[in-house]
Amino acid sequence: MHVRGFVATLLVGLLGVCAGCGSGGGGEGPPPKPEPEVTLPGAPTEVQAQAGVRSAQVSWKAPASNGGGAIVKYTVTGTGGVTTTTTGATSALVAGLADNTSYTFHVRATNAAGDGPESDASAPVTTLALPGAPRILEVFPGNSTLQVSWAPPDSDGGTRVHSYVVQLLGAATPRSEATMSTSVQLTGLTPETEYQVVVRAVTAVGMGPPSAPRLSKTRCDNVGWTKLPQVSVEAELRGLVAGDFDKDGKPDLAGTRMAERTVASYLGQGEGRLRKQGEFGVGADPQQVLTGDFNNDSLLDVVVLNTRSQTVSVLPGLGNGDFGEGRGALTGAGPWAMTTADFDGDGNLDVFTVNTSLSTGSSTLSWMQGNGFGALTRQDFNLPFVALTVATADFDQDGHLDVALPASLVSDVYVYFGSGDSSSFRSGARYPAQNQPKHVAAADFNHDGRADLLVTSKGDSFNEPAVSVGLGRGNSTFEPAKRFAVLGEVGALLVADFDQDGHLDVAVTHDESKTVSFLRGLGDGSFAARQDVVLDAMPRGLAAGNFSGGDRLEVMVSQVGSTSLALLTTACLP
């Protein structure tokens, strides 16, 4: 064989043999490399927590050993068993926690081999709390508003108070209003209505508890008369006075009957009703009637001015609405009006009458001193003017009562200053008044503890009929009078706090228009705009009392030719 062919044949054989070297049929190769063994991961480290709103943000560091396998999740467990998981991240938000509660957290890592050990606990953290209750500082009422101010809560619960909610509770329509301030004005409320106000603070956690409630009543700036059903008294009455004659806590009524020469008594039944008790004889043409304890037995008596017989009659109260036989005492000639007071300070009620004789034109002031047993002793003082009414007060604050009298024909008011004894006046003073003053009253209209002087006057071509108030200075002088227009010459005058707002008001009658007018006192010596109500007949006497048992004084009004009394009360007008 040729050498070259032999070599080729040998190579082919060798290739055939080596072709099976990598097959199973060939010789044994090296063993495969084994997979690494995965063990449990270690514990995470440096677990920290930060409290939030019903949650906590937990973070940690991965374990020093992952056990040879990838960590597929972390499990965060908090106090009480609350858990959350994350896939690989080293922080997690744990939600669903309770407010204002302390929590600690553990973290465990998980790989293919399973759950590793828990980490050490985090430092405890406390979740945020609801804010505390604000404290209401003031609720200032307006006509249909409430101005509410408050102090922030002592605790904000760990997060900023971002707003407040003011709520009205118990109202016909519950209402709430949110604000970022610590004061708010609630508008659109119903005048003269009581509201309960609470305030709540609001944070990201939520709305905190309410403040202590504050009750406040909106004002009514438009008050006037409203008519209640008329009250039948089965007789035409003239002068009226109210008092608790039977000591049952309900106001009763006494009224004069001119033609019958009697004074009739009526016992209050509540709800504006009266029951006639009896009639008691007095003098001729009884006009004015007043009350007082003239015999010091703690029972109300009545004193009646009888114009035609020119006497006053003192009738002792018996405590059941009846009156005993009256004691009469002569006045000066032509009595027009009277008032009562303990003028000499002896503890016994006295009576003053102003008198003008139609035959002679002379005028007197009769001081009828009480003896504490129902009897009166008279002394007269000549007046250089005609007076139709009289009032008493301590105008100079010397501790002794003084007497004020309007001089109707010369448009002045005279004040005679008491000396404190039983026989004289110390001195007198004269003050200008508007046209033909008729009524005079003394009261503290501006709450300064000094007696002020109210005078009514007729109108003329230059001045409207008016009620004027001169504020007393306490030294026998007065500020310039403020005038408030009325419909016409005043027939009857009554001063009282009719709407029970703490300020004295004035009621006046006008015969021609059959009207009773209400002047609401504002507490500074001035009055709101006059409110009028028209009656069915001409008004005569006025008496104030809580005849219906409500929270306001009502006014009984006698009417000419009527056997019923008009009953008026103050109300909030639209």
Side-chain angles (χ1 to χ4, degrees):
M1 178 180 296
H2 192 276
V3 173
R4 180 177 295 178
F6 173 80
V7 172
T9 301
L10 179 60
L11 289 172
V12 170
L14 288 173
L15 289 171
V17 172
C18 290
C21 291
S23 67
E28 293 294 330
K33 186 177 180 180
E35 292 289 336
E37 182 181 0
V38 177
T39 59
L40 295 176
T45 61
E46 298 185 28
V47 180
Q48 297 179 342
Q50 182 175 356
V53 178
R54 301 186 186 91
S55 64
Q57 184 71 39
V58 183
S59 62
W60 58 92
K61 286 188 176 181
S65 169
N66 64 4
I71 292 177
V72 295
K73 70 174 182 178
Y74 289 98
T75 301
V76 182
T77 302
T79 305
V82 60
T83 62
T84 191
T85 60
T86 179
T87 57
T90 55
S91 66
L93 181 69
V94 182
L97 305 183
D99 293 333
N100 197 30
T101 302
S102 178
Y103 288 91
T104 58
F105 298 91
H106 299 267
V107 183
R108 132 186 358 256
T110 302
N111 63 10
D115 297 332
E118 277 191 333
S119 67
D120 292 337
S122 68
V125 293
T126 300
T127 51
L128 301 179
L130 288 170
R135 178 170 53 88
I136 294 178
L137 300 176
E138 183 180 33
V139 180
F140 183 77
N143 181 58
S144 56
T145 63
L146 292 176
Q147 181 72 39
V148 187
S149 61
W150 59 90
D154 293 335
S155 171
D156 60 10
T159 187
R160 181 180 64 88
V161 174
H162 61 69
S163 63
Y164 295 91
V165 174
V166 182
Q167 298 175 315
L168 296 180
L169 306 179
T173 304
R175 175 177 168 183
S176 64
E177 187 161 328
T179 179
M180 298 176 66
S181 176
T182 54
S183 67
V184 71
Q185 185 178 61
L186 304 174
T187 60
L189 307 181
T190 303
E192 203 176 35
T193 301
E194 189 171 76
Y195 292 92
Q196 187 180 65
V197 184
V198 298
V199 182
R200 298 172 184 261
V202 182
T203 66
V205 179
M207 185 183 297
S211 64
R214 181 75 67 88
L215 285 176
S216 185
K217 190 175 185 179
T218 51
R219 292 199 317 263
C220 179
D221 291 342
N222 189 27
V223 178
W225 295 128
T226 185
K227 291 181 183 179
L228 298 175
Q230 295 205 46
V231 181
S232 175
V233 289
E234 303 174 359
E236 181 180 349
L237 303 180
R238 191 171 182 87
L240 299 178
V241 69
D244 186 7
F245 300 123
D246 58 357
K247 305 187 74 170
D248 66 349
K250 299 174 184 177
D252 309 313
L253 193 76
T256 57
R257 300 191 66 189
M258 291 188 63
E260 291 75 13
R261 299 186 178 188
T262 60
V263 60
S265 67
Y266 300 84
L267 299 184
Q269 306 298 297
E271 300 179 349
R273 295 178 294 111
L274 297 173
R275 177 176 61 81
K276 187 174 182 179
Q277 178 70 10
E279 288 195 40
F280 311 94
V282 290
D285 278 1
Q287 299 266 0
Q288 191 179 3
V289 55
L290 299 173
T291 62
D293 183 8
F294 289 91
N295 57 0
N296 295 324
D297 63 355
S298 300
L299 301 175
L300 275 183
D301 313 316
V302 293
V303 56
V304 179
L305 179 65
N306 309 296
T307 56
R308 183 175 297 181
S309 60
Q310 302 184 125
T311 60
V312 293
S313 301
V314 177
L315 284 70
L318 303 183
N320 62 353
D322 289 332
F323 296 94
E325 184 176 353
R327 293 189 178 189
L330 285 172
T331 69
W336 284 94
M338 68 175 174
T339 192
T340 64
D342 179 11
F343 194 76
D344 52 6
D346 65 353
N348 303 319
L349 275 180
D350 309 319
V351 176
F352 281 99
T353 67
V354 286
N355 323 290
T356 297
S357 171
L358 295 180
S359 60
T360 66
S362 61
S363 297
T364 57
L365 172 69
S366 293
W367 178 2
M368 312 180 77
Q369 296 167 280
N371 67 354
F373 299 97
L376 302 172
T377 302
R378 176 183 128 220
Q379 60 175 322
D380 292 338
F381 299 87
N382 292 323
L383 300 176
F385 54 86
V386 173
L388 300 179
T389 56
V390 57
T392 61
D394 183 6
F395 294 108
D396 55 0
Q397 294 192 318
D398 67 347
H400 306 309
L401 287 178
D402 313 312
V403 175
L405 301 155
S408 298
L409 299 182
V410 294
S411 298
D412 289 320
V413 174
Y414 283 77
V415 174
Y416 292 97
F417 297 100
S419 60
D421 61 30
S422 59
S423 61
S424 65
F425 294 98
R426 188 180 75 251
S427 61
R430 179 178 175 179
Y431 307 93
Q434 289 295 330
N435 185 49
Q436 297 184 46
K438 178 179 180 182
H439 291 275
V440 64
D444 183 6
F445 290 99
N446 63 344
H447 304 287
D448 66 353
R450 301 166 183 165
D452 308 317
L453 195 60
L454 180 147
V455 181
T456 71
S457 58
K458 294 177 64 175
D460 57 22
S461 56
F462 301 101
N463 300 289
E464 290 183 308
V467 167
S468 302
V469 175
L471 298 179
R473 296 189 177 109
N475 60 357
S476 74
T477 65
F478 301 90
E479 299 287 343
K482 300 177 183 178
R483 291 171 50 83
F484 305 91
V486 293
L487 289 173
E489 183 178 4
V490 171
L493 167 72
L494 186 62
V495 175
D497 182 9
F498 298 110
D499 57 358
Q500 298 291 279
D501 66 349
H503 308 315
L504 286 176
D505 312 309
V506 173
V508 295
T509 65
H510 182 230
D511 295 350
E512 294 178 10
S513 61
K514 302 178 182 178
T515 298
V516 182
S517 298
F518 171 64
L519 287 80
R520 185 190 188 197
L522 301 180
D524 59 358
S526 63
F527 299 96
R530 188 189 73 245
Q531 299 286 350
D532 305 319
V533 64
V534 179
L535 306 184
D536 296 336
M538 186 182 298
R540 274 292 178 256
L542 299 172
N546 190 355
F547 299 103
S548 296
D551 60 353
R552 294 187 171 186
L553 290 181
E554 290 124 3
V555 178
M556 291 280 191
V557 188
S558 58
Q559 303 172 95
V560 175
S562 175
T563 59
S564 294
L565 304 178
L567 181 58
L568 308 177
T569 188
T570 55
C572 193
L573 303 180

